[in-house]
Amino acid sequence: MKPEEFRKQFPILERKVYGKNLVYFDNAATAQRPQSVLGLWNELAVNSNANIHRAVHRLADEATEAYEEARSCVREFINASSREEIVFTSGATASVNLAAYSFGEKYVHEGDEIIVSECEHHSNIIPWQLLCERKHAVLKVLPVDNDGYPDLKTLDTLCTPATKLVAVTHASNVLGILNPVRKIIRICHEKGAKVLVDGAQGIVHSKVDVRDLDCDFYVFSGHKIYAVPGTGVLYGKKELLDSMPPFMGGGEMVGTVKFSGTTFAPLPLKFEAGTQNFTGIATLKPALELAGQVFQDEELTACSEAVKSYLGEELKKTEGLRLFGNEHRSCDKFPLFSFVIDGVHHEDLALILDKMGIAVRSGQMCAEPLMDRFGVSGVLRVSLAPYNTMQEAEYFMSSLRKAIDMLR
Amino acid sequence: MEQLKSLQVVENEVIEDFSMFDDWLDKYEYIIELGKSLDNYPEELKTDDRLVKGCQSRVWIDFKVEDGKIWFNADSDAIITKGIISLLIKIYSGRTPEEILSSDFSVVEKIGLKENLSPTRANGLVSMIGMIREIAAKNC
Ligand SMILES: Cc1ncc(COP(=O)(O)O)c(C=O)c1O
């Protein structure tokens, strides 16, 4: 399928801003949603709204079924061993917080170490900082090189027997390169450390197989992969999840509740306290089905590659432009480009581009340590999805040149 | 020094200037030019207490009081923001604190700046105005 055809499934892409065709190049922040997702979301809200797992009536059955179907779908999509390993949350951030709290309660003690990489999103830094403060543990940082690539040699020495967990992103939301997570996991496991992979970006751009990767945790958000916001996944290995205490207490996560003591529900409900965003989570099914089709569609993949190469080359040709996250050895770059331009502020560029109908991000990208690493106050980021066309990329480049001329 | 026009006259002049632009591009080009025309702002005055809070880009406002009038100078690392603060300075510099506080700053909306800026930027604008008012209030 061609992008021009594929994009017809996304109603919002028809809209205009300031009288111009919308060019949506902020997909790493959130992806747009196809009709199949919007349709199911609406259908459940209009037709099958009932709290899940609790009641015996018809509507509750329908809602529960849609929710649990999404779980099966996620299990299959990332090739987890069982449905029990799929915990639903409100997003990647919630998933990391859950893992950091519950894993930390059980396994992290005074003097232990946690490692995060320098290119993490704040969501995969702060929960670990909080844990380390709570437990008087030590947070260590895995540096990245000038191309944004985690330094594996350093990891080998940084990771010690005191290291309980290494939290690393599958793909940085600033750099757009897929990290060698499989190698990282192998190194960490040799040292006895568990690994949490932040898949918020990675899941969108590569086929993930958690068993093959052998990661201990994998987290992602639904809204970046065509589902609705307020939906997320924490994958964890069953034995590990089983051994961890609950994060939040509340309805649905219990066995029996007595004032003398409470027992907890088996996985995954143990970690799903309270009423979940069941209408939203159900949309993970059509969303992941679509993502699966995208991976298999050779024509669409080839078109995306062509658009990516065009943008990469044109950006590199732009005078005074400094690109972050260069292709490196065997690491794949996906269509996400962050850059700064000499003498032009990223925020000014974003503002002018907006007036031209182009949605891009400017600023620190929730990755302040990485900004510090590269010595910049922020970047301009363009991030594409398979529905973005070559024509849009060309329009973007000519608009960027115009904006630079205006601002210099 | 030339006799300053009254605050209201200047505000109306700015509104009139902006009404000539029917295209956002021209409006932005004008703002960018204003930004480039700002007086040099000394590096050593880029301190945290002069930094406007609530802006995505960094904006510093410095001032001095002479003969009961407040004179502003400012800088920003983003040129559009710098243009906007430059415009505010053009209007409000050389005024007494009472004059500044008597303005309702509606000029900003009347020239269509508020709706033309992104939400974060609109906050920035509100913060810049807030700082100018605060300086005026402190020097009453
Ligand atoms: C790499 C990465 N990690 C984590 C997150 C956090 O995701 P969310 O805000 O959906 O919880 C994001 C989203 O911006 C991200 O790009």
Side-chain angles (χ1 to χ4, degrees):
Chain A
M1 199 186 289
K2 290 216 173 345
E4 289 78 3
E5 187 62 29
F6 180 61
R7 64 189 279 124
K8 288 182 185 158
Q9 299 179 47
F10 297 80
I12 202 171
L13 299 176
E14 293 291 309
R15 77 158 278 187
K16 294 193 184 300
V17 286
Y18 313 114
K20 304 209 165 56
N21 289 331
L22 167 70
V23 174
Y24 188 73
F25 277 9
D26 193 17
N27 292 284
T30 198
Q32 296 303 346
R33 310 181 220 300
Q35 194 54 59
S36 58
V37 163
L38 296 171
L40 178 64
W41 198 26
N42 187 55
E43 160 71 19
L44 289 173
V46 169
N47 221 12
S48 308
N49 183 47
N51 210 332
I52 50 171
H53 294 144
R54 298 175 190 202
V56 292
H57 56 74
R58 178 70 198 156
L59 295 194
D61 269 354
E62 288 172 7
T64 306
E65 196 177 305
Y67 182 83
E68 290 302 331
E69 267 181 37
R71 201 186 307 274
S72 302
C73 201
V74 172
R75 186 213 64 75
E76 194 184 321
F77 193 74
I78 62 173
N79 196 29
S81 305
S82 71
R83 290 164 35 88
E84 296 157 284
E85 298 181 320
I86 308 299
V87 176
F88 286 132
T89 66
S90 64
T93 303
S95 300
V96 178
N97 277 279
L98 193 170
Y101 181 85
S102 296
F103 177 85
E105 277 306 290
K106 174 85 179 184
Y107 293 106
V108 181
H109 307 287
E110 187 165 348
D112 286 345
E113 298 166 357
I114 302 285
I115 297 177
V116 298
S117 94
E118 206 172 11
C119 65
E120 297 309 310
H121 188 281
H122 293 166
S123 293
N124 202 24
I125 298 175
I126 300 163
W128 304 110
Q129 264 178 340
L130 292 172
L131 166 64
C132 288
E133 275 169 29
R134 207 166 60 234
K135 293 287 184 167
H136 306 287
V138 182
L139 188 71
K140 301 207 296 191
V141 180
L142 172 66
V144 298
D145 68 15
N146 289 337
D147 292 323
Y149 186 93
D151 184 347
L152 298 194
K153 282 211 187 73
T154 308
L155 178 62
D156 203 34
T157 49
L158 204 61
C159 196
T160 72
T163 307
K164 291 292 142 79
L165 184 137
V166 177
V168 66
T169 193
H170 191 176
S172 147
N173 61 312
V174 177
L175 304 168
I177 38 183
L178 287 158
N179 283 330
V181 280
R182 187 202 305 271
K183 272 191 208 149
I184 291 175
I185 291 162
R186 210 180 55 224
I187 295 171
C188 297
H189 280 175
E190 273 168 17
K191 310 273 176 147
K194 304 288 187 213
V195 180
L196 177 140
V197 178
D198 173 0
Q201 301 294 338
I203 191 102
V204 187
H205 298 282
S206 72
K207 187 80 194 80
V208 171
D209 181 331
V210 289
R211 271 189 280 180
D212 179 53
L213 280 179
D214 199 27
C215 52
D216 301 286
F217 299 107
Y218 193 95
V219 309
F220 65 94
S221 290
H223 70 94
K224 293 187 199 278
I225 187 158
Y226 315 122
V228 303
T231 64
V233 171
L234 167 68
Y235 157 82
K237 284 182 180 162
K238 182 170 181 299
E239 322 76 74
L240 192 55
L241 288 179
D242 255 336
S243 72
M244 289 161 29
F247 176 39
M248 291 198 282
E252 275 310 304
M253 51 79 73
V254 288
T256 64
V257 181
K258 305 278 178 232
F259 283 112
S260 55
T262 292
T263 61
F264 301 112
L267 288 177
L269 297 187
K270 177 171 103 176
F271 291 112
E272 294 180 4
T275 296
Q276 295 282 93
N277 175 9
F278 50 83
T279 320
I281 280 168
T283 67
L284 280 163
K285 180 171 189 261
L288 295 181
E289 281 169 359
L290 187 79
Q293 287 162 17
V294 168
F295 285 141
Q296 281 174 4
D297 190 321
E298 285 173 18
E299 189 179 20
L300 198 53
T301 306
C303 291
S304 288
E305 279 294 309
V307 173
K308 179 185 84 179
S309 308
Y310 165 80
L311 268 182
E313 279 160 28
E314 290 297 312
L315 287 172
K316 277 177 204 149
K317 274 194 249 165
T318 307
E319 197 200 315
L321 186 144
R322 179 176 166 212
L323 202 55
F324 301 100
N326 293 313
E327 267 154 291
H328 199 322
R329 283 168 253 175
S330 57
C331 285
D332 283 337
K333 172 109 181 154
F334 54 89
L336 181 155
F337 300 95
S338 294
F339 52 87
V340 293
I341 297 176
D342 283 349
V344 184
H345 197 278
H346 46 83
E347 196 195 15
D348 289 328
L349 278 174
L351 210 58
I352 306 264
L353 289 169
D354 169 56
K355 288 291 185 190
M356 297 170 165
I358 302 171
V360 296
R361 254 306 272 289
S362 74
Q364 299 188 324
M365 307 296 128
C366 300
E368 210 177 317
L370 190 60
M371 299 295 124
D372 291 343
R373 163 68 178 81
F374 290 123
V376 292
S377 67
V379 296
L380 193 80
R381 180 184 73 186
V382 299
S383 55
L384 278 64
Y387 43 65
N388 290 126
T389 63
M390 187 62 96
Q391 199 189 355
E392 287 180 305
E394 287 167 357
Y395 175 69
F396 168 78
M397 280 313 305
S398 72
S399 304
L400 180 68
R401 286 185 205 108
K402 244 187 252 168
I404 294 171
D405 284 345
M406 261 180 87
L407 291 164
R408 267 213 179 119
Chain B
M1 197 183 306
E2 74 178 284
Q3 190 62 35
L4 275 177
K5 297 171 189 159
S6 84
L7 182 56
Q8 212 172 5
V9 169
V10 175
E11 282 177 338
N12 286 336
E13 277 177 7
V14 169
I15 293 166
E16 203 170 313
D17 278 353
F18 268 83
S19 68
M20 296 183 322
F21 306 129
D22 33 40
D23 184 334
W24 69 268
L25 201 80
D26 297 338
K27 205 183 269 188
Y28 272 33
E29 256 162 5
Y30 179 69
I31 293 172
I32 291 166
E33 282 315 309
L34 280 176
K36 291 178 181 166
S37 71
L38 253 187
D39 281 352
N40 275 343
Y41 186 95
E43 278 302 310
E44 65 270 18
L45 296 183
K46 294 187 175 174
T47 54
D48 278 351
D49 55 327
R50 292 180 176 87
L51 195 64
V52 180
K53 285 163 196 76
C55 293
Q56 221 197 79
S57 50
R58 291 183 301 170
V59 191
W60 299 268
I61 301 181
D62 183 45
F63 69 95
K64 58 176 193 262
V65 186
E66 268 175 20
D67 298 336
K69 290 177 177 149
I70 304 179
W71 299 87
F72 295 100
N73 193 11
D75 202 359
S76 172
D77 47 9
I79 192 71
I80 294 173
T81 309
K82 198 169 161 176
I84 290 165
I85 192 72
S86 167
L87 185 70
L88 293 176
I89 286 180
K90 229 174 97 150
I91 304 173
Y92 297 102
S93 222
R95 309 276 161 203
T96 64
E98 291 76 15
E99 271 181 293
I100 295 172
L101 291 173
S102 74
S103 168
D104 60 1
F105 288 82
S106 61
V107 56
V108 170
E109 275 157 63
K110 290 190 183 133
I111 59 179
L113 264 193
K114 228 173 158 178
E115 78 255 16
N116 262 283
L117 295 170
S118 64
T120 46
R121 212 45 112 88
N123 286 335
L125 197 53
V126 170
S127 310
M128 288 184 232
I129 292 171
M131 185 136 164
I132 288 175
R133 290 182 61 93
E134 197 183 308
I135 290 170
K138 277 193 190 143
N139 288 282
C140 257

